[in-house]
Amino acid sequence: MHIVEAFGRIFLSTLFLFEGVKKLFYQDETIEYMESFGLSKLFFYPSVFFEIIIPTLLIIGFKTRIVALLMFLFTITVSVIFHTDFNNHMQIIAFLKNFSIAGGFLIIASYEAKMCTIDYYLKYKKNSN
């Protein structure tokens, strides 16, 4: 069942990877959108970095628990900043979707490293020496 957990990490990370790459191709539009919510354009590059690097680390299973907690915090923060117009039904759905995704990150953070992770390999290699 370790492969199932690996696919779960991949599926949860795909949305963030897609959005991070999309931001690179649509920088002006993304910065304008962020500024419409009161965020400085200084947040653009850190958010792109975060949405590409951190999910990649989650997929390969490096520092999985820490990375999953970071993704949990990022997802909750994004939800609170961008999806709290509860008069808009689509924003309610986006808010709840993000909270569901955040729950998945908490589940990942609650488990020890599995066989399909770099964490497991490093732990096994350390214990075998």
Side-chain angles (χ1 to χ4, degrees), residues 83 85-97:
H83 302 299
D85 178 7
F86 297 128
N87 292 320
N88 180 334
H89 183 70
M90 290 307 295
Q91 292 302 313
I92 293 170
I93 291 171
F95 184 85
L96 293 173
K97 172 197 60 96

Side-chain angles (χ1 to χ4, degrees), residues 11-125:
F11 290 162
L12 280 170
S13 298
T14 301
L15 171 68
F16 297 93
L17 287 170
F18 177 81
E19 285 298 317
V21 171
K22 187 176 94 173
K23 283 178 182 171
L24 287 175
F25 288 104
Y26 298 99
Q27 291 183 17
D28 293 336
E29 294 87 346
T30 302
I31 290 170
E32 185 178 313
Y33 181 75
M34 291 171 72
E35 288 177 334
S36 74
F37 284 89
L39 292 176
S40 168
K41 65 181 177 182
L42 295 174
F43 285 102
F44 175 76
Y45 286 108
S47 70
V48 169
F49 172 84
F50 200 92
E51 286 185 303
I52 293 174
I53 300 301
I54 302 299
T56 301
L57 293 175
L58 186 65
I59 289 170
I60 64 174
F62 183 71
K63 300 292 183 187
T64 308
R65 285 180 142 176
I66 294 168
V67 169
L69 287 174
L70 288 173
M71 289 304 299
F72 164 79
L73 291 172
F74 180 79
T75 305
I76 295 298
T77 302
V78 167
S79 298
V80 170
I81 293 171
F82 295 107
H83 302 299
T84 53
D85 178 7
F86 297 128
N87 292 320
N88 180 334
H89 183 70
M90 290 307 295
Q91 292 302 313
I92 293 170
I93 291 171
F95 184 85
L96 293 173
K97 172 197 60 96
N98 283 1
F99 265 66
S100 299
I101 291 169
F105 290 130
L106 283 179
I107 291 168
I108 291 171
S110 71
Y111 285 98
E112 288 290 322
K114 301 287 194 286
M115 192 179 297
C116 296
T117 64
I118 290 175
D119 291 342
Y120 180 86
Y121 171 76
L122 294 173
K123 183 178 178 181
Y124 176 75
K125 186 174 180 174

